[in-house]
Structures are given as C-alpha cells and as structure tokens.
Amino acid sequence: MRTLWVLGTAALVAGCATWRAEAPADLRSSAFEGRFFVVTKDQALQLEEARVDESEIVGKTVARWTFPALKAESLEYLQNTNNSPKDIANELSWEPADRTGETARVPFADVAVLRKYEPRSGLTAIAIFGGFIGTIALALGIAALVVLPHLSCGRPLRVRGRWVITSVAPAAEPAGWTEALALAPVPEAARRVLADVWTVEARAEHAAVAAFSKLALELMALGAPPDLVARANRAAIQEVEHARLCFAVASAYAGRALEPAPLPEALAGDTPDLSR
C-alpha cells in the first residue's frame, strides 16, 4: 500500500521542478525547441518557440526583466532555486521591461544561467500508469485523490534573503535518511526522470525541517502564543518524515543510496521581522 501511495503522488511532485538547469555547451548539438529562461549579466528573458544553434539561442520574448548587474548572491540563488521565471524576478526585484513579442537572439557567450522548461508531470504520469493495469490503476487514482490536497514541496529555507536547498551526497555511511524501498519497475528513461524529481523533492523537504525550526524560534522571539510555536515544531517533525520518504523513493529510482549533505546554513539566522 505504501508503494501505491508513493507512486500515486509522483505526478504532482513532478510539478515542483519543471525548469531544469542546462549547460549551454550541452545544447549546442541538440535539436531542442521549446521554452527557455535565459539570464545574462544585465537581463533575463523567458523565450517561447526557442531553438539553439552553434552560437546562440533564438526565440520569441514573452517576458523580459532588466537589472544593473548580476550579483554573486543572485547568481548563487539562481543556481539553487527551482522557481518559475516570474517568481525569480519577484524574489530578486528585477524590473520588468517592454519589447515582449520580439525575437531575441542571445549568444551563448553571454549566458550566465540557462533553464529549459520540461513538463515533467506528463512523463511521470506515463511512467506510473504504464506499469499498472486494472485494479492497481484504480487504487493509484484513489490514493492520489486522498493525498494530493495535502502534498507540498516544503517550506523554503531563507537565509539572508535567499532560498537555501539541501545538497545530496552518496550515502557511504547511511545516517537514517534513506531506507530500502521496493518499487514497481518502470522503463529506464522514466526511472531517470523519477529519480531526478524525487531527489529535488527530498532536498526541499529536508531544508524545510530547518525552515520550520527557524520559524518556531522566530515566533518565540516575538512572544507568539504557545499554539503557534507548537504547530511550527510539529510541522518540522512532519518534514523529517517527508524527507525520509522522498529520499527513500529517490534512492530506489536512482539505484543507489542518497542522503542529505550537511546543511550549515541551518545555523545562519536573520533578524526576526514582526510584519513578515
């Protein structure tokens, strides 16, 4: 039953990471056409109907933002977040610019960050339901209806104004975050997608443990009532279980044990802000 629960929720989890980071060099020989999010030293563009060639990315501009310069902290945030372009622009206070609808040409030499949109939810659904028939498929649907309203990607951990997400390390000496889990077989290509999806989810859930613990301390610093403090601490404990389950599923699909790396940022705090 636990396996059915896990697989039945995978399609929604896939939606947590649809903008995939890419290295420009990896795309030069590809024939990919679709949606890109491109960040240079002074602007960011969301491109539709985009294509790549040996020297540049060409596409229709559907959104564009400008900024004086790409700061080091902004670059670090961009390399770790899985947010949508719009959410990233809001987080970094980028200024929206006109000239949408125009064809943009961005040389690879100018690209600082590149993300490619992948509608992973469809691939995940195919991988899940392709391995099941009859009553098993029905059970998955029922399980999904029960679980989906309560599923999330965890509370973001913010440190000095930026989001922090846990790194992953091979579990040479498992610390208890990963447990053996048997899952129904799926095609190799789908298995790789599922491993990536659940790894991202596991990283977010693990960082959320620190986020809720930090929230509990901030509430105490502000003199919050005990019920709020208790809820924040209960949420942190729930995120521990979420992270363990996600790491177990990610490890099963990856074919090797994965566990969270140390998260020293959990000890870095901000000054509690009452209005926030």
Side-chain angles (χ1 to χ4, degrees), residues 22-34:
E22 295 285 353
D26 295 338
L27 294 175
R28 291 184 179 181
S29 60
S30 72
F32 179 83
E33 294 186 5

Side-chain angles (χ1 to χ4, degrees), residues 9 33 48 76 79 88 97 110 140 152 173 179 200 251:
T9 61
E33 294 186 5
E48 301 281 351
E76 183 178 2
Q79 292 171 338
I88 289 174
D110 294 344
L140 282 173
S152 71
E173 296 182 2
E179 62 181 70
V200 171
S251 298

Side-chain angles (χ1 to χ4, degrees), residues 14 32 61 140 204-205 214 228 234 261:
F32 179 83
T61 305
L140 282 173
E205 297 289 356
K214 177 181 175 183
L228 286 179
R234 283 199 298 268

Side-chain angles (χ1 to χ4, degrees), residues 24 28 38 40 53 55-58 104-112:
R28 291 184 179 181
V38 185
T40 70
D53 59 27
S55 61
E56 62 183 3
I57 303 172
V58 182
R105 312 181 76 92
V106 185
F108 276 118
D110 294 344
V111 176

Side-chain angles (χ1 to χ4, degrees), residues 152-188:
S152 71
C153 294
R155 175 184 175 87
L157 172 62
R158 293 176 181 268
V159 177
R160 299 186 180 92
R162 66 180 182 87
W163 285 17
V164 174
I165 187 169
T166 302
S167 298
V168 174
E173 296 182 2
W177 289 97
T178 300
E179 62 181 70
L181 187 64
L183 301 177
V186 295
E188 176 65 20

Side-chain angles (χ1 to χ4, degrees), residues 248-270:
V249 178
S251 298
Y253 282 124
R256 65 185 188 280
L258 300 174
E259 291 213 350
L263 186 62
E265 293 89 348
L267 296 178
D270 298 323

Side-chain angles (χ1 to χ4, degrees), residues 83-106:
N83 280 357
S84 68
K86 182 178 180 181
D87 289 340
I88 289 174
N90 290 335
E91 179 71 22
L92 298 178
S93 301
W94 288 346
E95 290 293 331
D98 296 329
R99 293 168 52 192
T100 58
E102 296 182 355
T103 297
R105 312 181 76 92
V106 185

Side-chain angles (χ1 to χ4, degrees), residues 234-264:
R234 283 199 298 268
I237 294 173
Q238 290 173 349
E239 296 294 7
V240 171
E241 294 306 313
H242 296 168
R244 292 180 63 184
L245 177 59
C246 291
F247 272 112
V249 178
S251 298
Y253 282 124
R256 65 185 188 280
L258 300 174
E259 291 213 350
L263 186 62

